[in-house]
Amino acid sequence: TSEQQSFLERQPDAGEIWHVDLLKEGEMGEELKRSYTPVSTNSDYKEGNLVLMVKVYQTGKMTSYLSSLRLGSSLLVSAPHPTLNPNDYPGLVMIAGGSAVTVAIQMCKAVLMHHKDGVPVHLVLCNKTMPDVLYVDEFDKMVRDFPTFHMTYCVSSGPVPASSAGRQRWHGGRISAEILAPADASLKAVVSGPMGLCQASLVLWKRLGRAPGNLKVLDELPPPGSLLAEAEIATPP
């Protein structure tokens, strides 16, 4: 309706790197809220279109709820929220795992397109198996379109395609210091994904002698003293 369109157009511009919150009202006034990075653009949102990639987990409260919705169901969605500013990243190391692939696409594209002088952007995308790897066609196009974009797929289990020389490679195994080392030490980094990946990235970043303040963690880290928090002991240098 025209009233809905007017409401959407009045929403503040969240910039090029943004997210929304999905909300579910529960019993006894409880509210469930989760943040999602859209595949669509901020301009799409203002036109009434929002495209999300949602990976459903059986134990996930929000994703289980979303998977139960049917065509025509209502869903509470927040206004767009800014995530990061590409001006702060004159070059980037992006580490992403699982459904945070949408964060990676948005972040890398924004930095590459915002800085027309061709800044280096290194993306490390981590997944468990080959079927878990999404948006390969999108990343192939980014490699073709942006000469300073470097792409590494880390697949921790099972075979991976053979890598050829160039800016795109496949790695069988988890993320390691060897994977991160080629990026210029002055570059800032962002990590988004499962807790274990965020922790491992922070550990490896420190081991490479890079400033912890130059690594932005968008998701949760394990509590101090937990087994995951002590992963530095088990993570190979």
Side-chain angles (χ1 to χ4, degrees), residues 46-58:
K46 293 192 174 185
E47 293 175 1
N49 300 310
L50 180 68
V51 180
L52 301 174
M53 190 283 290
V54 178
K55 187 173 182 179
V56 177
Y57 297 92
Q58 290 184 340

Side-chain angles (χ1 to χ4, degrees), residues 9-63:
E9 290 174 351
R10 292 198 305 271
Q11 298 305 306
D13 188 348
E16 300 159 273
I17 308 169
W18 61 290
H19 63 278
V20 295
D21 292 331
L22 303 187
L23 302 99
K24 175 184 179 294
E25 293 180 337
E27 299 176 357
M28 307 295 292
E30 294 178 357
E31 182 181 82
L32 180 64
K33 181 172 73 173
R34 295 289 186 271
S35 297
Y36 286 87
T37 296
V39 179
S40 49
T41 66
N42 203 300
S43 297
D44 293 330
Y45 178 93
K46 293 192 174 185
E47 293 175 1
N49 300 310
L50 180 68
V51 180
L52 301 174
M53 190 283 290
V54 178
K55 187 173 182 179
V56 177
Y57 297 92
Q58 290 184 340
T59 57
K61 293 181 180 180
M62 178 60 80
T63 58

Side-chain angles (χ1 to χ4, degrees), residues 127-181:
N127 292 101
K128 290 184 178 179
T129 66
M130 283 298 299
D132 296 322
V133 182
L134 304 175
Y135 296 103
V136 173
D137 289 346
E138 180 72 22
F139 293 122
D140 286 347
K141 185 176 186 303
M142 290 173 65
V143 169
R144 292 193 302 270
D145 291 347
F146 300 102
T148 58
F149 178 60
H150 302 259
M151 175 84 211
T152 300
Y153 297 93
C154 289
V155 181
S156 59
S157 179
V160 297
S163 289
S164 57
R167 292 179 289 111
Q168 190 173 31
R169 61 176 292 203
W170 292 86
H171 169 75
R174 299 180 183 274
I175 189 172
S176 65
E178 179 188 7
I179 297 295
L180 297 176

